[in-house]
Amino acid sequence: MLRYLIEKEFKQLKRNRFLPRLILLFPCVMMLVMPWAATLEIEDLRIAVIDHDQSPSSQRLVHRIEASRYFQLTALPASYAQGLNAIEKDQVDMLLEIPRGFEKDQARGVSPSTLIAVNTVNGTKGVLGSTYLQQILNPQPSPASVRYQFNPYLNYKVFMVPALMTMILVLLCGFLPALNVVSEKEAGTIEQINVSPVSRFTFTLAKLLPYWAIGFVVLNLCMLLAWLVYGLTPEGNILTIYLTTLIFALVMSGLGLVISNYSSTLQQAMFVMWFCMLIFILMSGLFTPISSMPEWAQYITYLNPLRYFMEIMRMVYLKGSHIGDIGFQLSMLSTFAVLLYVWAIRSYRKQQ
Protein backbone atom coordinates (compact mmCIF):
# COMPACT_ATOMS: atom_id res chain seq x y z
CA MET A 1 0.00 0.00 0.00
CA LEU A 2 2.86 2.40 0.82
CA ARG A 3 4.45 1.74 -2.56
CA TYR A 4 1.15 2.41 -4.31
CA LEU A 5 0.71 5.73 -2.51
CA ILE A 6 4.27 6.85 -3.28
CA GLU A 7 3.82 5.98 -6.95
CA LYS A 8 0.58 7.95 -6.90
CA GLU A 9 2.39 11.03 -5.54
CA PHE A 10 5.07 10.87 -8.22
CA LYS A 11 2.46 10.40 -10.94
CA GLN A 12 0.64 13.49 -9.70
CA LEU A 13 3.87 15.48 -9.88
CA LYS A 14 4.52 14.19 -13.39
CA ARG A 15 1.03 15.06 -14.61
CA ASN A 16 1.44 18.62 -13.35
CA ARG A 17 3.17 20.46 -16.20
CA PHE A 18 4.03 23.52 -14.14
CA LEU A 19 5.38 21.99 -10.92
CA PRO A 20 8.39 20.03 -12.28
CA ARG A 21 9.50 23.13 -14.17
CA LEU A 22 9.14 25.23 -11.03
CA ILE A 23 11.20 22.75 -9.01
CA LEU A 24 14.07 23.07 -11.49
CA LEU A 25 13.69 26.73 -12.44
CA PHE A 26 13.24 28.20 -8.96
CA PRO A 27 16.64 27.04 -7.56
CA CYS A 28 18.39 28.25 -10.72
CA VAL A 29 16.87 31.73 -10.47
CA MET A 30 17.58 31.98 -6.74
CA MET A 31 21.19 30.80 -7.02
CA LEU A 32 22.00 32.95 -10.04
CA VAL A 33 20.23 36.17 -9.04
CA MET A 34 20.01 36.43 -5.25
CA PRO A 35 23.75 36.30 -4.39
CA TRP A 36 24.26 39.35 -6.61
CA ALA A 37 21.18 41.23 -5.35
CA ALA A 38 21.21 40.32 -1.64
CA THR A 39 24.55 41.88 -0.75
CA LEU A 40 25.78 44.36 1.85
CA GLU A 41 28.59 45.60 -0.38
CA ILE A 42 27.98 49.25 -1.30
CA GLU A 43 29.34 50.55 -4.60
CA ASP A 44 28.96 53.68 -6.74
CA LEU A 45 28.22 56.00 -3.83
CA ARG A 46 27.57 59.48 -5.18
CA ILE A 47 29.99 61.91 -3.56
CA ALA A 48 30.50 65.67 -3.82
CA VAL A 49 33.87 67.19 -2.93
CA ILE A 50 34.40 70.79 -1.80
CA ASP A 51 38.09 71.55 -2.30
CA HIS A 52 38.96 74.82 -0.56
CA ASP A 53 42.69 74.11 -0.74
CA GLN A 54 43.07 73.54 -4.49
CA SER A 55 46.56 72.12 -3.93
CA PRO A 56 48.32 69.15 -5.58
CA SER A 57 47.75 67.12 -2.39
CA SER A 58 44.03 67.80 -2.33
CA GLN A 59 43.80 67.03 -6.05
CA ARG A 60 45.55 63.69 -5.50
CA LEU A 61 43.01 62.90 -2.76
CA VAL A 62 40.14 63.68 -5.15
CA HIS A 63 41.70 61.43 -7.81
CA ARG A 64 42.03 58.57 -5.29
CA ILE A 65 38.34 58.89 -4.51
CA GLU A 66 37.47 58.91 -8.22
CA ALA A 67 39.58 55.80 -8.81
CA SER A 68 37.76 53.82 -6.10
CA ARG A 69 34.97 51.54 -7.30
CA TYR A 70 33.00 52.47 -4.21
CA PHE A 71 32.55 56.14 -5.15
CA GLN A 72 31.28 58.14 -8.07
CA LEU A 73 32.32 61.79 -8.08
CA THR A 74 29.09 63.58 -8.92
CA ALA A 75 29.64 67.26 -8.11
CA LEU A 76 32.27 69.84 -7.07
CA PRO A 77 30.23 72.46 -5.23
CA ALA A 78 31.80 75.76 -4.26
CA SER A 79 30.47 75.84 -0.69
CA TYR A 80 29.21 73.59 2.07
CA ALA A 81 25.70 75.06 1.69
CA GLN A 82 25.59 74.02 -1.97
CA GLY A 83 26.82 70.54 -1.10
CA LEU A 84 24.26 70.16 1.68
CA ASN A 85 21.54 71.29 -0.72
CA ALA A 86 22.62 68.52 -3.12
CA ILE A 87 22.25 65.96 -0.31
CA GLU A 88 18.80 67.28 0.57
CA LYS A 89 17.73 66.96 -3.08
CA ASP A 90 19.10 63.37 -3.15
CA GLN A 91 21.60 64.29 -5.84
CA VAL A 92 24.56 63.00 -3.81
CA ASP A 93 24.96 60.53 -0.95
CA MET A 94 28.04 62.01 0.72
CA LEU A 95 29.87 65.30 1.01
CA LEU A 96 33.60 65.77 1.64
CA GLU A 97 34.94 69.24 2.51
CA ILE A 98 38.71 69.73 2.25
CA PRO A 99 39.78 72.83 4.25
CA ARG A 100 42.34 75.45 3.31
CA GLY A 101 45.83 74.59 4.44
CA PHE A 102 45.32 70.88 3.79
CA GLU A 103 48.68 70.47 2.01
CA LYS A 104 50.54 72.67 4.53
CA ASP A 105 49.29 70.53 7.44
CA GLN A 106 50.49 67.40 5.66
CA ALA A 107 53.92 68.98 5.05
CA ARG A 108 54.23 69.84 8.75
CA GLY A 109 53.34 66.27 9.74
CA VAL A 110 49.99 67.33 11.18
CA SER A 111 46.97 65.22 10.33
CA PRO A 112 44.65 67.59 8.42
CA SER A 113 41.01 67.68 9.42
CA THR A 114 38.29 67.14 6.84
CA LEU A 115 34.50 67.21 7.10
CA ILE A 116 32.34 64.31 5.96
CA ALA A 117 28.56 64.78 5.72
CA VAL A 118 26.58 61.61 4.98
CA ASN A 119 22.96 61.00 4.04
CA THR A 120 21.94 58.35 6.59
CA VAL A 121 18.32 57.82 5.58
CA ASN A 122 19.71 54.39 4.74
CA GLY A 123 21.80 53.85 7.87
CA THR A 124 23.73 50.83 6.56
CA LYS A 125 24.64 52.58 3.33
CA GLY A 126 25.71 55.71 5.20
CA VAL A 127 27.88 53.94 7.77
CA LEU A 128 29.62 51.71 5.21
CA GLY A 129 30.17 54.65 2.87
CA SER A 130 31.77 56.80 5.57
CA THR A 131 33.97 53.85 6.57
CA TYR A 132 35.17 53.41 2.97
CA LEU A 133 35.94 57.13 2.71
CA GLN A 134 37.85 57.22 6.00
CA GLN A 135 40.06 54.38 4.75
CA ILE A 136 40.98 56.53 1.74
CA LEU A 137 41.62 59.56 3.92
CA ASN A 138 43.76 57.56 6.36
CA PRO A 139 45.66 55.01 4.23
CA GLN A 140 48.33 54.27 6.83
CA PRO A 141 48.70 50.51 7.27
CA SER A 142 47.74 49.00 10.59
CA PRO A 143 50.62 47.60 12.68
CA ALA A 144 48.57 44.45 13.26
CA SER A 145 48.65 41.53 10.84
CA VAL A 146 45.07 40.61 9.89
CA ARG A 147 44.07 37.26 8.39
CA TYR A 148 40.52 36.60 7.23
CA GLN A 149 39.62 33.00 7.95
CA PHE A 150 37.14 30.97 5.86
CA ASN A 151 36.44 33.92 3.53
CA PRO A 152 39.85 35.47 2.80
CA TYR A 153 38.63 37.82 0.03
CA LEU A 154 35.63 39.05 2.07
CA ASN A 155 33.31 37.97 -0.73
CA TYR A 156 29.73 38.41 0.43
CA LYS A 157 28.50 35.79 -2.05
CA VAL A 158 30.51 33.13 -0.22
CA PHE A 159 28.50 33.95 2.90
CA MET A 160 25.13 34.07 1.12
CA VAL A 161 25.21 31.03 -1.17
CA PRO A 162 25.01 28.29 1.55
CA ALA A 163 22.23 30.21 3.28
CA LEU A 164 20.25 30.55 0.04
CA MET A 165 20.33 26.77 -0.34
CA THR A 166 18.50 26.47 2.97
CA MET A 167 15.89 29.04 1.93
CA ILE A 168 15.21 27.15 -1.30
CA LEU A 169 14.69 23.91 0.61
CA VAL A 170 12.34 25.70 3.02
CA LEU A 171 10.12 26.98 0.23
CA LEU A 172 10.04 23.74 -1.76
CA CYS A 173 9.89 21.16 1.05
CA GLY A 174 7.50 23.27 3.10
CA PHE A 175 5.06 24.69 0.58
CA LEU A 176 4.64 21.73 -1.74
CA PRO A 177 3.40 19.12 0.81
CA ALA A 178 0.93 21.60 2.29
CA LEU A 179 -0.48 22.63 -1.07
CA ASN A 180 -0.60 19.03 -2.28
CA VAL A 181 -2.81 17.75 0.54
CA VAL A 182 -5.13 20.76 0.52
CA SER A 183 -5.55 20.60 -3.26
CA GLU A 184 -6.60 16.96 -2.88
CA LYS A 185 -9.15 18.06 -0.28
CA GLU A 186 -10.60 20.62 -2.64
CA ALA A 187 -10.66 18.16 -5.56
CA GLY A 188 -12.22 15.42 -3.41
CA THR A 189 -9.62 12.79 -4.37
CA ILE A 190 -8.46 12.42 -0.77
CA GLU A 191 -11.81 10.79 0.07
CA GLN A 192 -10.67 7.64 -1.74
CA ILE A 193 -7.75 7.37 0.70
CA ASN A 194 -9.94 8.18 3.68
CA VAL A 195 -12.21 5.21 3.03
CA SER A 196 -9.29 2.84 2.38
CA PRO A 197 -7.54 0.82 5.14
CA VAL A 198 -4.48 3.10 5.03
CA SER A 199 -3.08 4.02 8.43
CA ARG A 200 -2.28 7.60 9.30
CA PHE A 201 1.42 6.70 9.55
CA THR A 202 1.47 5.22 6.03
CA PHE A 203 -0.44 8.16 4.59
CA THR A 204 1.89 10.71 6.18
CA LEU A 205 5.02 8.82 5.16
CA ALA A 206 3.78 8.52 1.57
CA LYS A 207 3.24 12.27 1.45
CA LEU A 208 6.71 13.04 2.83
CA LEU A 209 8.96 10.68 0.86
CA PRO A 210 8.52 12.35 -2.58
CA TYR A 211 9.48 15.71 -1.11
CA TRP A 212 12.57 14.25 0.52
CA ALA A 213 13.59 13.13 -2.98
CA ILE A 214 12.80 16.59 -4.37
CA GLY A 215 14.86 18.15 -1.59
CA PHE A 216 17.93 16.09 -2.50
CA VAL A 217 17.55 16.81 -6.22
CA VAL A 218 17.32 20.54 -5.51
CA LEU A 219 20.25 20.42 -3.08
CA ASN A 220 22.50 18.74 -5.63
CA LEU A 221 21.42 21.23 -8.28
CA CYS A 222 22.24 24.13 -5.94
CA MET A 223 25.66 22.70 -5.06
CA LEU A 224 26.40 22.21 -8.76
CA LEU A 225 25.50 25.83 -9.51
CA ALA A 226 27.55 27.03 -6.52
CA TRP A 227 30.57 25.23 -7.95
CA LEU A 228 30.07 26.23 -11.60
CA VAL A 229 29.14 29.90 -11.03
CA TYR A 230 30.90 30.87 -7.79
CA GLY A 231 33.62 28.23 -7.51
CA LEU A 232 32.30 27.30 -4.07
CA THR A 233 32.57 23.70 -2.84
CA PRO A 234 31.99 22.23 0.65
CA GLU A 235 35.04 22.35 2.89
CA GLY A 236 33.53 19.62 5.07
CA ASN A 237 32.20 16.16 4.36
CA ILE A 238 29.35 16.22 1.85
CA LEU A 239 27.70 13.30 3.64
CA THR A 240 27.23 15.60 6.65
CA ILE A 241 25.27 17.97 4.42
CA TYR A 242 23.15 15.11 3.08
CA LEU A 243 22.37 13.84 6.59
CA THR A 244 21.37 17.30 7.79
CA THR A 245 19.28 17.91 4.67
CA LEU A 246 17.42 14.64 5.23
CA ILE A 247 16.45 15.73 8.75
CA PHE A 248 15.61 19.28 7.71
CA ALA A 249 13.45 18.11 4.80
CA LEU A 250 11.50 16.02 7.31
CA VAL A 251 11.08 19.08 9.53
CA MET A 252 9.74 21.34 6.78
CA SER A 253 7.57 18.73 5.06
CA GLY A 254 6.19 17.75 8.46
CA LEU A 255 5.32 21.39 9.13
CA GLY A 256 3.64 21.59 5.72
CA LEU A 257 1.52 18.53 6.47
CA VAL A 258 0.53 19.89 9.88
CA ILE A 259 -0.67 23.12 8.28
CA SER A 260 -2.53 21.23 5.56
CA ASN A 261 -4.29 19.04 8.14
CA TYR A 262 -5.76 22.15 9.75
CA SER A 263 -6.51 23.98 6.47
CA SER A 264 -9.66 23.48 4.45
CA THR A 265 -8.80 25.64 1.43
CA LEU A 266 -5.73 26.26 -0.67
CA GLN A 267 -5.71 29.97 0.13
CA GLN A 268 -5.80 29.30 3.87
CA ALA A 269 -2.84 26.91 3.66
CA MET A 270 -0.85 29.38 1.53
CA PHE A 271 -1.38 32.28 3.93
CA VAL A 272 -0.44 30.26 7.01
CA MET A 273 2.59 28.71 5.31
CA TRP A 274 3.78 32.06 4.00
CA PHE A 275 3.43 33.60 7.46
CA CYS A 276 5.61 30.85 8.92
CA MET A 277 8.17 31.16 6.12
CA LEU A 278 8.54 34.92 6.64
CA ILE A 279 9.18 34.48 10.35
CA PHE A 280 11.63 31.65 9.74
CA ILE A 281 13.62 33.54 7.09
CA LEU A 282 13.75 36.91 8.89
CA MET A 283 14.81 35.35 12.20
CA SER A 284 17.26 32.79 10.85
CA GLY A 285 20.34 34.99 10.49
CA LEU A 286 20.12 35.02 6.71
CA PHE A 287 20.50 38.80 6.43
CA THR A 288 20.80 40.05 10.03
CA PRO A 289 23.18 38.30 12.47
CA ILE A 290 21.28 36.77 15.38
CA SER A 291 23.75 38.35 17.82
CA SER A 292 22.67 41.80 16.53
CA MET A 293 19.00 41.17 17.33
CA PRO A 294 17.40 42.30 20.61
CA GLU A 295 17.85 39.81 23.43
CA TRP A 296 14.16 38.83 23.46
CA ALA A 297 14.31 38.13 19.71
CA GLN A 298 17.41 35.97 20.14
CA TYR A 299 15.47 33.70 22.50
CA ILE A 300 12.70 33.34 19.92
CA THR A 301 15.21 32.17 17.30
CA TYR A 302 15.77 28.99 19.33
CA LEU A 303 12.30 27.93 18.14
CA ASN A 304 13.27 28.46 14.50
CA PRO A 305 14.50 25.26 12.79
CA LEU A 306 15.85 27.26 9.86
CA ARG A 307 18.37 28.90 12.19
CA TYR A 308 20.04 25.58 12.97
CA PHE A 309 20.10 24.34 9.39
CA MET A 310 21.57 27.64 8.16
CA GLU A 311 24.28 27.49 10.82
CA ILE A 312 25.11 23.92 9.82
CA MET A 313 25.32 24.75 6.11
CA ARG A 314 27.65 27.68 6.71
CA MET A 315 29.78 25.74 9.18
CA VAL A 316 30.19 22.69 6.95
CA TYR A 317 30.45 24.59 3.67
CA LEU A 318 32.83 27.34 4.78
CA LYS A 319 34.61 26.08 7.90
CA GLY A 320 34.74 22.34 7.19
CA SER A 321 32.96 21.45 10.44
CA HIS A 322 32.21 17.80 11.19
CA ILE A 323 29.46 16.00 13.10
CA GLY A 324 30.99 16.80 16.47
CA ASP A 325 30.96 20.53 15.73
CA ILE A 326 27.30 20.61 14.74
CA GLY A 327 26.01 18.25 17.43
CA PHE A 328 23.79 20.84 19.13
CA GLN A 329 22.22 22.07 15.88
CA LEU A 330 21.71 18.50 14.65
CA SER A 331 20.02 17.43 17.89
CA MET A 332 17.67 20.43 17.77
CA LEU A 333 16.70 19.66 14.17
CA SER A 334 16.08 16.03 15.07
CA THR A 335 13.83 17.13 17.93
CA PHE A 336 11.82 19.36 15.59
CA ALA A 337 11.56 16.51 13.07
CA VAL A 338 10.18 14.04 15.62
CA LEU A 339 7.71 16.55 17.10
CA LEU A 340 6.37 17.74 13.76
CA TYR A 341 6.17 14.24 12.30
CA VAL A 342 4.20 12.96 15.32
CA TRP A 343 2.01 16.07 15.16
CA ALA A 344 1.36 15.49 11.45
CA ILE A 345 0.30 11.87 12.11
CA ARG A 346 -1.88 12.75 15.09
CA SER A 347 -3.56 15.73 13.41
CA TYR A 348 -4.57 13.79 10.27
CA ARG A 349 -8.20 12.77 10.55
CA LYS A 350 -9.73 10.20 8.24
CA GLN A 351 -13.23 11.29 7.36
CA GLN A 352 -15.60 8.40 6.91
Side-chain angles (χ1 to χ4, degrees):
M1 184 60 71
L2 177 61
R3 179 181 176 182
Y4 167 77
L5 291 175
I6 294 175
E7 290 178 353
K8 167 183 166 295
E9 294 297 326
F10 279 109
K11 287 179 180 179
Q12 282 185 336
L13 289 174
K14 187 177 180 180
R15 283 196 297 265
N16 191 320
R17 295 183 178 181
F18 173 73
L19 197 55
R21 297 176 184 177
L22 175 65
I23 293 172
L24 295 177
L25 183 61
F26 179 68
C28 294
V29 173
M30 290 290 290
M31 293 294 293
L32 297 177
V33 175
M34 284 296 291
W36 300 92
T39 175
L40 290 181
E41 293 182 352
I42 307 297
E43 296 183 5
D44 295 328
L45 286 162
R46 299 168 300 172
I47 186 170
V49 178
I50 307 169
D51 187 1
H52 294 297
D53 197 44
Q54 296 294 326
S55 64
S57 295
S58 64
Q59 291 297 314
R60 285 194 295 270
L61 175 59
V62 174
H63 292 327
R64 285 206 306 271
I65 295 173
E66 279 187 292
S68 172
R69 65 186 177 93
Y70 297 109
F71 296 101
Q72 179 182 357
L73 185 60
T74 305
L76 295 169
S79 65
Y80 177 78
Q82 292 180 5
L84 189 61
N85 184 50
I87 291 181
E88 292 175 348
K89 292 182 177 180
D90 198 29
Q91 296 173 347
V92 297
D93 301 310
M94 303 179 63
L95 177 65
L96 172 65
E97 186 176 23
I98 304 175
R100 291 183 178 87
F102 179 83
E103 187 175 54
K104 292 181 180 179
D105 289 341
Q106 283 188 330
R108 290 187 292 124
V110 178
S111 179
S113 60
T114 55
L115 174 64
I116 301 175
V118 185
N119 181 358
T120 54
V121 171
N122 185 332
T124 302
K125 181 179 180 181
V127 171
L128 289 177
S130 63
T131 302
Y132 296 157
L133 186 56
Q134 289 176 30
Q135 290 177 352
I136 296 177
L137 296 174
N138 303 291
Q140 294 84 2
S142 172
S145 178
V146 180
R147 295 182 179 179
Y148 299 106
Q149 297 291 335
F150 314 123
N151 189 5
Y153 300 105
L154 302 181
N155 188 350
Y156 194 69
K157 300 177 189 64
V158 173
F159 179 71
M160 285 298 298
V161 167
L164 286 176
M165 295 182 189
T166 68
M167 190 168 69
I168 293 170
L169 290 174
V170 165
L171 295 175
L172 291 181
C173 296
F175 263 99
L176 295 185
L179 301 184
N180 184 8
V181 175
V182 178
S183 63
E184 286 197 35
K185 286 184 181 180
E186 290 189 340
T189 56
I190 200 171
E191 298 298 332
Q192 300 175 6
I193 300 177
N194 288 335
V195 298
S196 66
V198 177
S199 65
R200 292 184 294 182
F201 175 84
T202 303
F203 171 80
T204 305
L205 186 61
K207 288 293 182 183
L208 293 181
L209 285 175
Y211 299 101
W212 292 351
I214 290 173
F216 277 99
V217 171
V218 169
L219 176 66
N220 283 282
L221 177 60
C222 290
M223 290 195 294
L224 178 63
L225 290 174
W227 171 59
L228 292 176
V229 179
Y230 308 105
L232 189 62
T233 56
E235 293 292 333
N237 193 330
I238 194 172
L239 295 179
T240 304
I241 296 178
Y242 285 151
L243 173 62
T244 309
T245 302
L246 175 64
I247 299 174
F248 184 71
L250 176 59
V251 172
M252 297 314 303
S253 54
L255 176 63
L257 287 180
V258 169
I259 292 174
S260 66
N261 290 340
Y262 290 100
S263 302
S264 55
T265 64
L266 199 60
Q267 291 82 0
Q268 184 180 2
M270 289 180 63
F271 278 123
V272 176
M273 199 69 198
W274 185 245
F275 170 79
C276 295
M277 293 302 103
L278 282 179
I279 299 298
F280 285 167
I281 292 172
L282 292 177
M283 304 196 69
S284 63
L286 175 63
F287 300 107
T288 304
I290 294 176
S291 58
S292 301
M293 298 179 184
E295 188 174 357
W296 59 267
Q298 295 183 35
Y299 287 121
I300 296 178
T301 62
Y302 286 107
L303 301 176
N304 184 2
L306 182 56
R307 166 194 172 159
Y308 304 107
F309 187 52
M310 195 166 295
E311 289 177 352
I312 291 174
M313 288 295 290
R314 282 172 172 164
M315 291 171 66
V316 177
Y317 231 94
L318 304 181
K319 298 172 63 176
S321 301
H322 50 78
I323 292 291
D325 300 321
I326 61 173
F328 171 71
Q329 290 87 350
L330 202 58
S331 61
M332 291 299 296
L333 279 180
S334 300
T335 302
F336 279 112
V338 172
L339 292 177
L340 287 171
Y341 190 44
V342 172
W343 191 0
I345 295 174
R346 299 287 296 177
S347 59
Y348 173 61
R349 293 289 183 266
K350 298 186 67 173
Q351 301 174 1
Q352 303 295 334

